[in-house]
Amino acid sequence: MKTEISTAAGFITRLLRTPGGIGDEQLRCFSESLQEALRDHYKHHWFPLMPSKGSGYRCIRINHKMDPLIGKAAGMIGLSHQRLFQLLPSELTLWVDPFEVSYRIGEDGSICVLYESPPPGLKTAKSLESRNSCKEEWRIGRSSPSKNYNMMTVSS
């Protein structure tokens, strides 16, 4: 659960990182606060033997309403919901499941995998963090932090 939560918090934190925006120390505090909130929220809803069980509960969602866990972490650093909406996509879905973290920007966007690992007992973990995948490509051609997100696909 630690790797999945760290991956999810790192992704949201990178979305907030903009030139002249939130300072590094504030981003670090935000990330730590979000990780703690996710750990508490998922404590009794993490099922490695049945990874899809509880997936809806673990889903982080912004759909013209701010996800309460992101809002709580932002509040810890004095970041308003209004500023969050300027920095984050208006529609974002982030699934944090045992052995996989993935996201979608927009209702019709492609689902992109940030982290993937086989269940224990299988071969080595397949981390997508080190290769150039869609997790970073959303930044290409971006005119502002919360507008004009490019949709991408995951290829093998």
Side-chain angles (χ1 to χ4, degrees):
M1 178 166 62
K2 183 177 180 181
T3 301
E4 291 89 343
I5 287 174
S6 174
T7 300
F11 176 70
I12 297 295
T13 302
R14 283 189 301 277
L15 289 173
L16 294 175
R17 188 178 306 275
T18 59
I22 303 167
D24 288 342
E25 181 62 21
Q26 281 185 298
L27 288 171
R28 186 189 62 73
C29 290
F30 171 83
S31 180
E32 288 176 4
S33 178
L34 182 57
Q35 288 181 61
E36 182 179 335
L38 292 173
R39 271 192 303 275
D40 289 345
H41 190 67
Y42 297 165
K43 191 179 343 186
H44 301 292
H45 298 273
W46 194 260
F47 308 99
L49 297 178
M50 297 179 286
S52 62
K53 181 178 179 183
S55 184
Y57 181 84
R58 293 186 303 269
C59 180
I60 296 171
R61 184 87 172 108
I62 300 171
N63 187 10
H64 306 286
K65 288 190 329 186
M66 186 53 57
D67 183 273
L69 297 173
I70 293 174
K72 178 181 176 182
M76 298 296 284
I77 63 166
L79 195 61
S80 70
H81 279 206
Q82 180 182 6
R83 183 71 173 130
L84 276 176
F85 281 118
Q86 292 172 342
L87 296 169
L88 296 173
S90 59
E91 293 188 9
L92 170 70
T93 306
L94 181 64
W95 295 276
V96 185
D97 295 322
F99 316 113
E100 183 174 305
V101 178
S102 55
Y103 74 94
R104 179 183 67 209
I105 294 176
E107 285 298 314
D108 299 319
S110 298
I111 295 173
C112 299
V113 178
L114 294 167
Y115 171 81
E116 186 176 47
S117 173
L122 296 180
K123 290 201 168 204
T124 61
K126 178 184 175 187
S127 175
L128 302 177
E129 292 288 6
S130 61
R131 75 175 202 214
N132 184 20
S133 69
C134 61
K135 75 178 177 72
E136 292 299 328
E137 290 176 18
W138 65 270
R139 294 180 184 266
I140 298 170
R142 183 170 89 169
S143 63
S144 72
S146 62
K147 308 284 187 276
N148 196 22
Y149 286 90
N150 290 333
M151 296 299 140
M152 44 264 134
T153 58
V154 178
S155 59
S156 332

